[in-house]
Amino acid sequence: MYFPTIKPPYIFAVFSFLFFSVSFSDPRTTESGLFCGGANRSSADPGFILTFIQEMRSLSQELTTRRFVTHSVNSTSFHRSKTTAIYALAQCHDDLSKTECLLCFALARTRLPRCLPSAAARIFLDGCFLRYDDYRFYDESVSATSDNYLCSNDTVLVDPLQYSDHVNRAMGNAVRTAVGNGGFGIAEERGAHALAQCWESVGKEGCRVCLEKAVGEVKRCVSRREGRGMNTGCYIRYSDHKFYNDGHGESHGPKSRVIVAIALGTFALVTVFLFATYAILAKLSNTKQERRNLGLISARFNNSRTKYKYETLEKATDYFSSKRILGQGGNGTVFLGTLASGESVAVKRLVFNTRQWVEEFFNEVNLISGIHHKNLVKLLGCSIEGPESLLVYEFVPNKSLDQFLFDDKRSKVLNWKQRLNIIKGTAEGLAYLHGGSPVRIIHRDIKTSNVLLDEQLDPKIADFGLARCFGHDKTHLSTGIAGTLGYMAPEYVVRGQLTEKADVYSFGVLVLEIACGTRNSVFVPGLGSLLQRVWKLYTLNRLQEALHPCLKDELLQTQETQAEAFTTLRVGLLCTQASATLRPSMTEVIRMLTERDCGIPIPSSPPFLRINSLAEPEGSTRSYSTNSTTSNTGIRMDQPPSYTSSESSGTQRS
């Protein structure tokens, strides 16, 4: 659906023209000045319009019993990313009746939306004043930038010098009365009439300062029949005819009541229009980022080799036949596809239930499409023009590492040389992400089901749904927790601080799982979790007992292979140390694993988190994402191979 660009100021101007192009005959509702200021808000924050409506409604209710009102609204926008605040002030002149006051305010609040989406505005009518802003301004009396005055166009018919003298005296008397009599004063001097009104919030001294400045400005108008001073904290007007009431009189009969009814009805109509505008802007804001991301994706894959037709992929997977399923996850299903050329590919069919789907899709496509490494799964292209979005990856025939490690029969296929090759290849892929790729990337979900094995059993890191770009000038990211229990670093779980060392910790757990052939989540009575068991054997100098039984005969053949295995286990312990600063970088890990003369530090104790209480039956892994360090909502089961994202689509992401 196409949404036209909405410019609220022009729309409100049309409404004002339709209903108020001809001024009411009551001179106290004549608009003296409308001043808009502040940054535009509603285009970036549609919640601003809703807050504005709430504020005007509150002022209207309070003015039924008072003639001076201040009110503020603080509300969270629909994005839940920031708070919208509006402070407002309204005051009727003291000589107006209740009906006249309500009429004046009704007209003022109907005209004020012409300033939207400005974050600040003020309107002066000859009988009332209305202002809103995004800060608490109530005690302000004057402003070097906002104070203004207005002279009428018609000159006086009497002697200008004599009239000027009478005007100055009338204004002076009105000011003295206002300062000494609660902020309101009227005066008449030989045909010159004056009214001075201060807002109650400025106090006596503020009233004096404001009116004296206003008089000094309005004196420039004395050759004209009328002049008005419109300052931050007060209003002053003079005229050659009497325009004010001598007291708090009643309304002017049926005519005023008709005007009030028309004004209130018009405001109701404008309010409905404001709600409609808010709804459209909210919809636009929600879809704007989605369209931008899809546009970026489309531009990146806008060539024949990387942009696939939906029909082509549908046919390649036998119309997404259940017989071709390679794996399933929270965000979709992966199918084996065979292209017309005979090439086998993995087609990820995305299934999304929330508005986050574009963000998740864009995150994986944007990150992985710009990086190329032999130990990273290659993204071949995508399809975004069909009924659902599809990602196309290179096909990795041996599926995921966990299907080898934790299967009684297939685990014997992996000898020590192959396991060490998988460890080294995974380390090289991570080192590339952390510093060798065009962008600095933290994977956030390194685990056995996210490491795929090709024909030669070489590793390829998959699943970038949780990955995050990381600026080269930043030490860490503060983010919501996302990952898999047992693989997440303690500082990330407790404080939400994300660095490359979080990936290093996950890699260390992976190393111990590969060498020992045991899931980290398996808790053995008397021995504890995998980390606890390996650490205890290390302190007893019995590391060989931690190795998988099928490897022992092979490793005991030569001292070289024994030393190699013990070095690998020590590297795993170094990577899983409780202190992130003590963990090596992935570049240092590669050096330890490949250079014989490289010194290996003595590891310190790993964090013995009570993850064993959350352990799953062997054969399963859990991933979760939450913005709370104590909540485990959003946990779900993952099934290999993990071409699919391991994060639940129903949880918030950072």
Side-chain angles (χ1 to χ4, degrees):
M1 178 182 291
Y2 170 75
F3 291 97
T5 302
I6 295 177
K7 298 183 180 295
Y10 299 112
I11 297 173
F12 295 131
V14 172
F15 265 77
S16 299
F17 175 78
L18 290 175
F19 290 99
F20 301 111
S21 58
V22 179
S23 177
F24 286 107
S25 59
D26 187 345
R28 304 304 294 278
T29 59
T30 300
E31 183 181 308
S32 303
L34 174 63
F35 307 99
C36 308
N40 287 354
R41 290 286 298 276
S42 65
S43 58
D45 179 14
F48 181 72
I49 292 181
L50 187 59
T51 307
F52 175 84
I53 295 171
Q54 295 172 346
E55 182 73 312
M56 293 301 105
R57 183 186 297 117
S58 299
L59 289 179
S60 179
Q61 292 171 348
E62 294 191 33
L63 276 174
T64 57
T65 57
R66 303 165 55 191
R67 62 179 62 247
F68 170 77
V69 176
T70 60
H71 194 274
S72 63
V73 173
N74 285 275
S75 63
T76 304
S77 71
F78 78 102
H79 290 296
R80 301 190 182 277
S81 59
K82 58 183 176 181
T83 298
T84 300
I86 295 184
Y87 298 84
L89 179 152
Q91 175 149 357
C92 293
H93 296 177
D94 285 4
D95 64 317
L96 293 190
S97 68
K98 182 184 294 185
T99 300
E100 290 170 331
C101 177
L102 291 175
L103 168 63
C104 191
F105 176 74
L107 296 179
R109 70 182 183 181
T110 305
R111 297 173 181 179
L112 197 62
R114 283 184 284 173
C115 282
L116 292 176
S118 296
R122 62 188 75 189
I123 185 170
F124 293 83
L125 269 62
D126 283 338
C128 61
F129 171 75
L130 175 60
R131 176 185 176 185
Y132 75 84
D133 218 313
D134 57 1
Y135 70 96
R136 189 180 180 88
F137 60 85
Y138 304 138
D139 59 351
E140 293 181 358
S141 58
V142 294
S143 170
T145 58
S146 300
D147 294 346
N148 215 320
Y149 69 95
L150 177 68
C151 306
S152 64
N153 293 325
D154 46 353
T155 57
V156 295
L157 301 178
V158 297
D159 183 357
L161 292 177
Q162 190 178 49
Y163 182 68
S164 172
D165 183 58
H166 296 161
V167 166
N168 289 335
R169 290 185 182 182
M171 288 196 297
N173 292 335
V175 168
R176 282 190 291 272
T177 302
V179 173
N181 191 33
F184 176 76
I186 55 176
E188 187 269 336
E189 182 70 26
R190 297 185 182 183
H193 303 264
L195 177 148
Q197 176 73 64
C198 292
W199 321 143
E200 291 184 18
S201 56
V202 300
K204 184 175 181 179
E205 180 60 21
C207 179
R208 182 189 64 78
V209 172
C210 184
L211 288 175
E212 287 181 355
K213 181 184 178 185
V215 168
E217 293 168 340
V218 174
K219 282 183 178 180
R220 304 174 188 177
C221 301
V222 292
S223 62
R224 306 289 180 173
R225 292 181 60 190
E226 289 193 340
R228 295 170 175 84
M230 297 166 285
N231 283 4
T232 302
C234 64
Y235 173 88
I236 192 168
R237 176 188 176 188
Y238 78 83
S239 179
D240 62 353
H241 68 275
K242 183 180 178 181
F243 57 87
Y244 48 78
N245 299 322
D246 291 326
H248 302 290
E250 295 301 320
S251 63
H252 299 161
K255 181 178 179 181
S256 293
R257 288 193 289 271
V258 171
I259 294 174
V260 171
I262 294 174
L264 293 177
T266 302
F267 178 73
L269 183 61
V270 172
T271 300
V272 171
F273 180 77
L274 282 171
F275 271 114
T277 303
Y278 163 75
I280 294 174
L281 286 174
K283 178 65 175 178
L284 282 173
S285 182
N286 280 335
T287 58
K288 186 176 181 180
Q289 186 61 39
E290 296 175 3
R291 291 182 175 185
R292 181 183 298 115
N293 287 344
L294 283 176
L296 290 173
I297 294 172
S298 181
R300 181 181 293 276
F301 292 96
N302 195 23
N303 63 72
S304 58
R305 291 191 301 172
T306 56
K307 188 175 182 181
Y308 290 84
K309 290 184 178 181
Y310 181 85
E311 295 79 6
T312 300
L313 298 178
E314 189 178 36
K315 184 177 180 180
T317 58
D318 288 340
Y319 300 92
F320 303 108
S321 169
S322 59
K323 296 180 180 180
R324 285 183 169 262
I325 294 178
L326 296 174
Q328 290 180 307
N331 284 347
T333 305
V334 181
F335 296 84
L336 172 62
T338 305
L339 301 178
S341 62
E343 179 186 4
S344 295
V345 294
V347 180
K348 184 176 180 180
R349 187 186 192 187
L350 301 174
V351 179
F352 298 98
N353 298 317
T354 70
R355 287 182 177 177
Q356 294 176 342
W357 75 267
V358 170
E359 177 189 343
E360 296 173 6
F361 181 62
F362 177 72
N363 187 63
E364 187 158 0
V365 171
N366 189 47
L367 288 182
I368 197 172
S369 63
I371 57 178
H372 301 284
H373 190 273
K374 64 183 177 67
N375 295 118
L376 302 178
V377 171
K378 185 177 181 181
L379 178 67
L380 303 177
C382 68
S383 170
I384 60 174
E385 297 176 352
E388 53 205 349
S389 298
L390 305 173
L391 293 175
V392 183
Y393 296 92
E394 64 173 315
F395 175 60
V396 184
N398 281 314
K399 300 186 178 180
S400 58
L401 175 60
D402 63 335
Q403 296 189 50
F404 280 84
L405 286 180
F406 310 127
D407 182 271
D408 290 338
K409 294 182 179 180
R410 301 187 76 184
S411 63
K412 298 176 182 179
V413 174
L414 294 177
N415 58 34
W416 172 248
K417 182 179 180 181
Q418 291 168 327
R419 293 180 189 232
L420 184 59
N421 178 65
I422 292 170
I423 291 172
K424 291 178 180 179
T426 305
E428 291 175 4
L430 276 176
Y432 176 77
L433 290 176
H434 292 176
S437 64
V439 290
R440 187 179 172 199
I441 297 172
I442 301 177
H443 188 280
R444 286 211 298 180
D445 204 16
I446 295 297
K447 58 184 178 181
T448 55
S449 61
N450 282 343
V451 177
L452 308 184
L453 302 178
D454 65 11
E455 296 92 335
Q456 287 76 38
L457 298 180
D458 291 326
K460 291 182 179 289
I461 298 173
D463 192 350
F464 288 78
L466 300 186
R468 287 291 176 267
C469 287
F470 198 62
H472 289 279
D473 58 339
K474 291 188 176 182
T475 58
H476 71 275
L477 293 175
S478 295
T479 177
I481 302 169
T484 302
L485 292 173
Y487 293 91
M488 291 188 294
E491 74 279 359
Y492 183 40
V493 173
V494 175
R495 296 189 299 274
Q497 290 187 350
L498 181 65
T499 68
E500 292 99 332
K501 296 302 179 71
D503 276 352
V504 173
Y505 182 91
S506 302
F507 173 79
V509 175
L510 179 75
V511 168
L512 298 181
E513 288 184 320
I514 293 173
C516 303
T518 304
R519 293 184 186 275
N520 73 81
S521 58
V522 174
F523 182 79
V524 180
L527 297 176
S529 66
L530 176 63
L531 269 178
Q532 291 171 309
R533 187 162 67 256
V534 175
W535 174 254
K536 184 176 181 180
L537 292 172
Y538 170 75
T539 59
L540 297 174
N541 200 25
R542 293 159 46 191
L543 264 181
Q544 68 274 10
E545 296 180 24
L547 296 168
H548 192 278
C550 73
L551 300 176
K552 290 182 179 179
D553 291 341
E554 178 186 356
L555 294 175
L556 292 176
Q557 290 179 2
T558 65
Q559 290 186 344
E560 181 180 352
T561 55
Q562 288 184 47
E564 203 173 51
F566 296 156
T567 295
T568 303
L569 288 172
R570 285 182 63 182
V571 169
L573 290 174
L574 283 171
C575 292
T576 54
Q577 294 177 101
S579 173
T581 57
L582 294 179
R583 295 175 210 147
S585 67
M586 291 310 304
T587 302
E588 292 171 328
V589 166
I590 294 172
R591 193 158 47 245
M592 293 178 193
L593 292 173
T594 56
E595 298 178 7
R596 293 184 180 181
D597 57 348
C598 179
I600 300 179
I602 297 174
S604 62
S605 172
F608 296 139
L609 301 176
R610 298 295 294 173
I611 59 172
N612 49 283
S613 62
L614 298 172
E616 294 300 316
E618 191 165 353
S620 68
T621 58
R622 280 184 180 267
S623 296
Y624 79 95
S625 173
T626 176
N627 283 331
S628 168
T629 57
T630 59
S631 170
N632 286 336
T633 58
I635 295 178
R636 69 166 180 81
M637 295 293 293
D638 253 353
Q639 297 181 13
S642 194
Y643 290 95
T644 58
S645 174
S646 58
E647 184 175 47
S648 170
S649 62
T651 57
Q652 289 188 340
R653 304 183 57 143
S654 56

